Amino acid sequence: MRILLALLLIGLTVAGFASGSIDTLAEETPGTGTVAVPLATMPRSETCLAAADLREAVADKRVIPPVAAIRAARQVIPRAEIQRARLCRSDDTLVYLLTALRRDGQFVHVMVDATTGQVTGP
């Protein structure tokens, strides 16, 4: 019974994060140089490109490959496991929005400029 209740609670929490009704903060532990940033400053999922558009942009050499963006993110969060990499529009530029899971169980979001490969935001 406890396991069922725990699974239900986890499912509701995940659904809340996925729908955007729960506002989260991406944060690192103090002293690591990364500050808490509300997800509201991150590009919305509606502005992200489809997988076919991502492949086309990489093939046309308009953006760096996702692997290069992941390497850049690992310089900022070295021991985190990258869970997702999306190519999104932020203002008038393209950025990779990477979601990483740290070893302490917290998710961290990193933005990497898709044309230069430089980390532009936590």
Side-chain angles (χ1 to χ4, degrees):
M1 184 65 178
R2 289 182 189 171
I3 294 173
L4 181 61
L5 184 59
L7 288 174
L8 178 65
L9 182 62
I10 290 170
L12 290 174
T13 304
V14 169
F17 283 124
S19 68
S21 62
I22 299 175
D23 194 23
T24 61
L25 292 176
E27 60 184 356
E28 283 279 337
T29 54
T32 60
T34 304
V35 295
V37 175
L39 285 181
T41 61
M42 296 290 180
R44 306 285 298 166
S45 62
E46 298 88 32
T47 63
C48 294
L49 280 66
D53 295 330
L54 167 71
R55 287 190 297 272
E56 181 181 331
V58 171
D60 292 344
K61 299 197 187 294
R62 289 184 283 148
V63 297
I64 61 172
V67 173
I70 291 170
R71 280 191 212 118
R74 286 201 173 134
Q75 297 297 318
V76 177
I77 44 172
R79 290 179 287 176
E81 182 179 326
I82 305 297
Q83 298 292 310
R84 172 184 262 183
R86 296 180 291 171
L87 183 61
C88 303
R89 288 185 182 88
S90 177
D91 299 326
D92 57 348
T93 62
L94 291 173
V95 295
Y96 280 103
L97 180 59
L98 301 158
T99 304
L101 178 63
R102 293 188 331 194
R103 291 186 183 239
D104 63 0
Q106 290 186 336
F107 284 98
V108 178
H109 300 279
V110 178
M111 285 184 4
V112 177
D113 188 312
T115 55
T116 64
Q118 298 296 319
V119 175
T120 59

